[in-house]
Amino acid sequence: MTDTFARRPRQSWAGLFNISFGFFGIQIGFALQNANMSRIFQSLGTSLDDLPALWIAAPLTGLLVQPIIGHLSDRTWLGRLGRRRPYFLAGALLAGLALFVMPESPSLLVAALMLWVLDASLNISMEPFRAFVGDMLDRDQHAAGYAVQTAFIGAGAVFGSIFPWLLEHLGVSNQAAAGGIPDTVRFAFWFGGAALVLAVLWTVLTTREYAPEEMARFHGAADPDEADHVVRILAARNPLASLRWIAAGVLIVAIVATQRLEKEVYVLGGLFVAYGLAGMIAVARAKAGRSPGLLGHIVGDFAGMPVLMKRLAVAQFFSWSALFIMWINTTPIVAGRFFGAPDAASPLYQEGANWVDVLFAAYNGIAAVAALTLLPLLSRRIGQARTHIVGLLCGAAGFASFFLVTDPKWLLASEIGIGIAWASILAMPYAILASSLPQRKLGIYMGLFNVFVVVPQLLVATVMGSITKHFFPTAPIWTLVFAAGALLLAALAMTRVQPGRD
């Protein structure tokens, strides 16, 4: 006999708006961070070579925070406050505070610490939003839900990216003394923090999450064996298999030490060792018949990922490698190549940095439009996987076109392809996953999927710094060759993703 379950009420456009409006504020925070942190670090005295090491904070905090928050939010119920919304609110308040303090940083160390706090807080808010769409919408509305979410991501990023440029044109000073932060950046961070908190509050106050009893009607009662699923996965593993991760980490550390590579590569080796040790502990606990706990659940669910998620993860890996290359290097590329100002103390550098804010606003604005128009149209005609391939190829073309442009104004044309790719990266993988993953584990799986967003960023922040320093220390534009190539590899990986068959 086939079980039949209740369907969630269909959400109106107003409902879709309320569910995802908080992401508008979260993305303002991310946009301010992405477009201005290299500028802040260089203004406080760091060199171009040291930027990747300082940027490690962002992906590393996401790697640690998102699976934990996903696991916890799957198991949270705080009555009227709900399951995911407590995490939205707590993260937003912390992020708002970090955005207020960041531009007042008196030193590079304080700015780096604030980046850790800001990124951790943004991830606490962001991770449950991915699962929130899956919780609130029936399967036939998943694509629409993630499209609306992507539109708000694009709109928030436009607002956050362009705000310093807009303030300058309203008469706010864009100049700063040596080692200082311009007022345009300072005020943008303060207003952005307030907007983030208010937007998240809107979603918290205008939505009502489904109680555990209602979710049970949508998906059926929990399988009695479900609680033992992670234990069975872990108990079946050979604990010595984790030694391969530890050995790989030790090898990386040894190569860094003997070949005198950039010191931030040590982080990569440390992560391999840490995951190997976590695996050994989790397997030992399972074989002893003990509860897996938080660590065991994360390791076990990572090992038991569905096939479709594994194949989609490869595309995510290469996609986010390209994006992180762009975020780290666009400011020095534009300021140095197109404005002739590699020195952060130069007024022309600040002008170039503000133009980067405009470029970032452009690709995010294009992403917002593409998410609501182009992507749904293509999805209906050629399917979600093929639509994602088209988006990734557009992004590769956008990165490659940086080599053909001499006037910085024409870089706006390059941002068209990048914006389409950004929209697809934010919408298509999550729409595919939300319709395919077990709903009771949606939070933890969305958090684990973030591993394939974070690890490539760590690789870029560590390995890419060494490559840039040794091969083209004064011409960072060549990093965009790697970005274009990474998106081509992501498109190739998507040819193996077949929703409904994997």
Side-chain angles (χ1 to χ4, degrees):
M1 182 176 65
T2 302
D3 292 328
T4 57
F5 306 121
R7 300 190 64 179
R8 295 170 179 79
R10 189 169 184 83
Q11 294 283 347
S12 65
W13 278 105
L16 295 176
F17 178 98
N18 293 337
I19 287 169
S20 290
F21 185 67
F23 228 126
F24 172 74
I26 293 171
Q27 197 59 35
I28 289 175
F30 273 118
L32 287 168
Q33 170 186 296
N34 291 338
N36 294 286
M37 284 314 302
S38 288
R39 178 183 190 175
I40 290 174
F41 287 147
Q42 287 189 285
S43 295
L44 291 173
T46 193
S47 68
L48 177 62
D49 292 338
D50 291 331
L51 284 180
L54 292 169
W55 270 89
I56 285 176
L60 187 57
T61 51
L63 181 66
L64 298 174
V65 167
Q66 289 215 22
I68 293 173
I69 296 300
H71 173 84
L72 294 176
S73 68
D74 280 340
R75 291 159 173 76
T76 295
W77 182 254
L78 298 181
R80 295 182 64 181
L81 195 55
R83 175 181 296 102
R84 316 289 183 185
R85 290 179 298 166
Y87 299 94
F88 302 166
L89 186 58
L93 293 174
L94 290 172
L97 179 62
L99 284 168
F100 183 84
V101 174
M102 177 72 75
E104 295 300 307
S105 299
S107 66
L108 187 61
L109 176 60
V110 174
L113 290 174
M114 282 297 99
L115 177 59
W116 278 77
V117 174
L118 174 60
D119 206 82
S121 304
L122 291 172
N123 275 285
I124 290 171
S125 279
M126 183 185 72
E127 199 287 329
F129 260 104
R130 299 292 192 193
F132 190 53
V133 173
D135 290 345
M136 299 295 292
L137 302 178
D138 217 51
R139 182 172 299 183
D140 62 352
Q141 281 198 295
H142 283 163
Y146 285 106
V148 171
Q149 189 176 89
T150 299
F152 276 127
I153 291 171
V158 169
F159 186 86
S161 297
I162 206 171
F163 206 26
W165 177 86
L166 180 62
L167 288 173
E168 181 187 13
H169 283 73
L170 292 175
V172 179
S173 174
N174 191 47
Q175 304 299 318
I181 308 300
D183 284 344
T184 51
V185 175
R186 179 177 290 106
F187 293 161
F189 272 59
W190 292 348
F191 284 112
L196 188 161
V197 173
L198 290 174
V200 171
L201 273 175
W202 179 281
T203 290
V204 170
L205 296 175
T206 60
T207 57
R208 184 190 71 84
E209 295 187 69
Y210 295 115
E213 298 78 15
E214 294 174 294
M215 294 296 283
R217 290 201 299 271
F218 299 143
H219 305 294
D223 188 326
D225 293 331
E226 187 175 5
D228 298 326
H229 176 64
V230 171
V231 175
R232 291 198 302 270
I233 290 175
L234 293 172
R237 296 185 66 185
N238 184 345
L240 296 180
S242 298
L243 289 176
R244 291 178 293 187
W245 290 94
I246 297 174
V250 171
L251 179 61
I252 291 172
V253 170
I255 292 173
V256 174
T258 57
Q259 300 300 314
R260 298 182 179 180
L261 300 180
E262 297 299 308
K263 59 184 178 298
E264 57 266 22
V265 185
Y266 282 119
V267 174
L268 187 62
L271 286 174
F272 276 62
V273 172
Y275 180 74
L277 291 173
M280 292 184 70
I281 294 170
V283 170
R285 287 176 62 91
K287 289 183 178 296
R290 300 174 64 186
S291 171
L294 172 63
L295 181 66
H297 274 287
I298 292 174
V299 173
D301 286 327
F302 187 80
M305 285 189 299
V307 172
L308 180 138
M309 184 173 169
K310 292 178 181 178
R311 293 181 176 178
L312 202 54
V314 178
Q316 282 291 90
F317 176 89
F318 289 115
S319 300
W320 283 86
S321 296
L323 292 171
F324 206 61
I325 289 172
M326 174 185 70
W327 289 330
I328 290 179
N329 294 290
T330 300
T331 295
I333 287 171
V334 171
R337 180 181 175 91
F338 296 97
F339 285 80
D343 184 2
S346 167
L348 279 176
Y349 176 92
Q350 299 298 339
E351 185 178 343
N354 270 10
W355 186 243
V356 172
D357 290 340
V358 176
L359 295 177
F360 279 21
Y363 85 72
N364 280 290
I366 291 164
V369 175
L372 295 177
T373 56
L374 178 63
L375 297 186
L377 176 64
L378 288 177
S379 294
R380 287 193 296 269
R381 295 193 175 186
I382 63 176
Q384 292 173 337
R386 291 190 180 93
T387 296
H388 195 33
I389 291 172
V390 171
L392 294 169
L393 293 176
C394 288
F399 285 129
S401 68
F402 265 67
F403 288 86
L404 305 176
V405 173
T406 56
D407 185 339
K409 293 181 180 178
W410 281 101
L411 291 175
L412 288 169
S414 303
E415 300 301 325
I416 296 174
I418 295 171
I420 294 172
W422 179 229
S424 188
I425 290 168
L426 290 175
M428 291 297 104
Y430 296 99
I432 293 170
L433 286 176
S435 299
S436 307
L437 295 176
Q439 292 295 308
R440 296 185 192 92
K441 288 183 173 287
L442 198 54
I444 181 62
Y445 275 138
M446 288 293 187
L448 290 173
F449 194 58
N450 186 61
V451 170
F452 304 101
V453 171
V454 170
V455 169
Q457 296 180 51
L458 285 172
L459 284 171
V460 169
T462 54
V463 177
M464 201 70 201
S466 298
I467 293 174
T468 302
K469 182 176 181 179
H470 286 87
F471 292 100
F472 28 85
T474 60
I477 191 170
W478 288 100
T479 58
L480 294 185
V481 173
F482 290 86
L487 287 185
L488 290 175
L489 290 174
L492 182 63
M494 280 301 301
T495 62
R496 299 185 65 243
V497 176
Q498 300 175 325
R501 293 182 62 186
D502 291 330

